[in-house]
Amino acid sequence: MFSLKQNCWFIRKVVIWRAVASIAWSVLLLPVTSAVFVLLSRFSLFHPIQWISECTSLLTASSTIFSLVVLCGVVLITGLFNLEFYTLVPSIPCSRMALLGTVLHPRQCVHSLVYCTMGMLVMWCASVTIGGRYSTLGIPCKQSESGEVVTCLNEYHLFLLLAGAFMGYSHSFLGVVKNMYYVSFQPIQQYKYPRFKGCLPMVVKCSVIQSLYSARNFAALYFFFGKIFINLCITLQLYSSLQPLDSLTGLLDFSLLYHLSISGTFLYFTWYLTVLLFRIYVTEAYSFPVQSTFTEDAEQCLPKVLAETNTLVMKFLALQDLALLSQHSLSRRLEVFSLSQPGGHPHNWNAISRECMSLLSELTQRLLAHQDAVASNGRVKSQSASIDTRSASSSSSVVSGTEDVSETPRLSVPLRTPGSVFTSSVGGMHSALTAPFTPDVDSPFSSPAIRRLVGQQEPRSPWFGTVQSPHIMRRGPKLWSASTESQSNGSPPASPATVPSPPAANQKPSFLAQWLQNRREQVKSFLAKRVLIVYLFNKLPEASSQALFADSQAHIWALQGLSHLVAASFSEDQFGVVQTTLPSILSCLVVLLEAVDRHFKLPHASSKPVRTVCSMGDSTYKTLRFALRAALKTAIYKITTTFGEHLNAVNISTEHRKRLQQFLEFKE
Amino acid sequence: YGLLDEITNSAEEGMSLTHCNHAAFAVRRFSLWASSFHGSLFPHLTLSSDEMVAEFSQMLDWSDSALRSFAWHPHTDKFAVALLDDSIKIYKSNSSPTPTLKHRCQRSVCALQWKPLCGSALAVACQSCLLIWHVDPASLSTRPSSGCAQVLSHPGHSPITSIAWSPTGSLLVSASPVDTSMMVWDVAAESAVPLQRVGGGGVTYLSWSPDGSRLLAATPSALFRVWETRMWTCERWPCLKGSCQSACWSPDGGCLLLSMQGERVIYALTFSDLTGINNTYSSPVTAFFLMKNHLKQLFCPPFFSGSSFVLRAGDSQADNHPSVIAVFKTRSSPVFELLPCGFVMGEAGAEPRFMQFHPHFQHGALLTVCWSDGRISHVPFYFSSAGLLGGDSPQQALASNTTNPSSNKLYTEQIS
């Protein structure tokens, strides 16, 4: 399960230790939260002295110590799950079916099961701590007619245990739906303690609200299904003379509901705190050396680390470090602009700028492919007028020959990048399994075999010099691009580097393939008219847009780092190393700006998402595209205001110059 | 299910209501007592929202002023004016249409600021929220729709009396006198990070140093803080007397001038650990004026030239004396110096309410003053010789009145 087989030095030396530190802190904070929980659970307004003395004696009791040990185990497992499941690029399901697939995924099922168990454990500890009528599962009771003492089921205890399981499941479920494991970076840097202090009220508020919601839902659930559940699962018979709990009057017990919500708050708070500490520790800035005097440390230097694609967390932290050094650190900027000692080549600057630009042009290509897909899709729709519900982002294709073929948009591998390819590098083996369910899911109606028949993949050269990621394709000729779909055949390749590229480039689909295609389209158009199918497979609005920009935090840092370095080079670059790359940087930015502008003209792209009220799940990924657009414009302005009229001497094309002139006049 | 849930809930509420009636009463008594105690600690908390805005706005006599706020664009010849009816007008140097911005959330506008490194975004501090207008400079429309405005709000963070964009344009900080935390907004993502320090009872005034490395945050009590913006830690500066009223930074961010409430002294703080090495922006141009026996406003735009001066408003202790703006020269190296230079006076009866330097006037410095009679006048200063401190004498030419038709007269005269 815990596949931490990352042999990257960064995972071994930094990330693991950060995770350990966060878990250690959550364990250390556990006695404090338990003490607060004890105080609240035993609260009595009218006997304050008795209350305090009871609590002190309880806190030192052996049962409490044992509960603490159990809770420590729970926190440890939560921490390990955090380390295993966290992701820097959220997976955004594009349809309800994809969401359903994620929820029902085996890995997610294991996760839910573990959380259910942990929830029951925590609730058991809580009920023991509260004591009184909650303390044990079985209670001795007298049978009314015979008078003999038998063990009866204590329904209060069971109620709390089931509530724990329910809360565990809902935590796990909401973790998927709200991307609980998505770790976002803050716009400002803070030390860990002030940040923790600042976030603590939010965590308390979230856990209280979540606990109240869960308590309400659980009470309703128990009201309807409690009796059935007990009769089904428990062989112990209910001889309790008490009011049965699944009645309206039984549930409307104020103290029961109070204890339920208090324990639920404790439960959620323990988990949320672990998540919060993990987020704080992982997103802490890490300072990579720009260059090193020893060759064995060369792989830990910024230019090398930036080029790394397998360890996503390292790449993100390196880009963040680049953005920070470009703004705050003069000495490190000078290192970037320096020349290599023998030879006098600006290796540092070349590597850094090349890596940033390749990131940005990768985004450009992704956007262009998406726009092509939408555009071609619209055209097909207008011709054949078939109800093609799964439109939006999809393959850039019009299948040749046949007139009425409305190719159901297929999300080729390139578009799946954010969700699956990157998580595969972080989370190990899981991506191979989740890939079919992640953002851009292939049509479930078509089998891989058919798809292999239909078309051949057309190999395309990566667009920008050095970048070898094959998941970005050059915008190809429309006629033949349907064939890219064969890439997405059910079981994606384990590593992006091993995607096979068949030599046959422009091969016409055979007759058989066309016939199969037509059949498939008929089945699809038949299914597309059924309401449930439409509901499940309908694209969620703006989800494809969100998925496109899911990893845009990296691009934002690249933009910031690049623009600030270029602006600083105006006065700090002694050897003129930046001037040689300035034209390509400018044209790269302008091309990206044009692509982004065009993207925001698409439907749903510029609509703002609904703001979530209070939830631990981070929803910043929903607005990343706006942040990227703002960062891009600011980056161009930063360069144009610094260079001013000198830009006229830079060798760039006329359209780009026109666009930059707009920036010089502040007309954007 | 939903219906039954609702029934269950309302029943629960009914139960708990009877239980908690007494408790609620006690809580209310306690909160009343606590707020009165709090109010005696921080008197500004007893003010109403409008009074608070009037108290802490940089515009003097904000409540009856025809102009509520004013802001030059940091890069172009364009400025925004907030009027008494809560609308905002944008004037440009050429005769293009003047857009009027109106939004239903736009009430009691207290501060305006254009986003640096951006042509269109204007942040507006309102009573209940923060508005970010995106006014397309190329569009010819005179009434941009309210869809062009982003509404940023945070519970407990109103009224907002001061806003400050970071010089790189990436962050926006907002402050409210009732909220002890100031908000650092990532505007495009609409997310905020609260930065809380309890002492002082709120934050009234923010000013970001031009190099972006520091941020001044003044509180309503005799305390102000200087944040460094790399790791966002702060240093406390307790004042002897009143609270910090206004402040300005030297263009290199190395020196901070402050005026305190009830004092007629300008304080200067020098920060030595500068991150940058360039001294191209060597000396500041600073303006402030003295009102009702205390300095009210300081201004200091980035400006590169060897010459420099400060403006300062005359005191109005004698009733028949009009308020004037006093001009000072400053020099930041080798030590910080202020030298008196001259005065700017308004029409009879007109008092200066607000002033701001044009951020990048080509030929010298351009001071824009909002007067109490609702006029805006531009006062240009041309430097005859740059470089030497003693050599320059600001020549005051006629104000250029390209934008506001009401300000076609100049009321400046040199006194000293």
Side-chain angles (χ1 to χ4, degrees), chain B residues 11 40 42 84 97 165 205 225 257 343:
Chain B
S40 65
F42 300 112
L84 191 60
W165 285 97
Y205 177 71
R225 293 192 180 83
L257 297 183
F343 293 93

Side-chain angles (χ1 to χ4, degrees), chain A residues 569-599:
Chain A
S569 78
F570 190 72
S571 57
E572 292 168 9
D573 181 13
Q574 297 167 1
F575 309 107
V577 297
V578 174
Q579 267 64 34
T580 54
T581 41
L582 192 56
S584 56
I585 290 178
L586 282 173
S587 53
C588 175
L589 293 182
V590 173
V591 168
L592 179 58
L593 181 70
E594 281 165 359
V596 169
D597 278 350
R598 231 174 299 147
H599 179 82

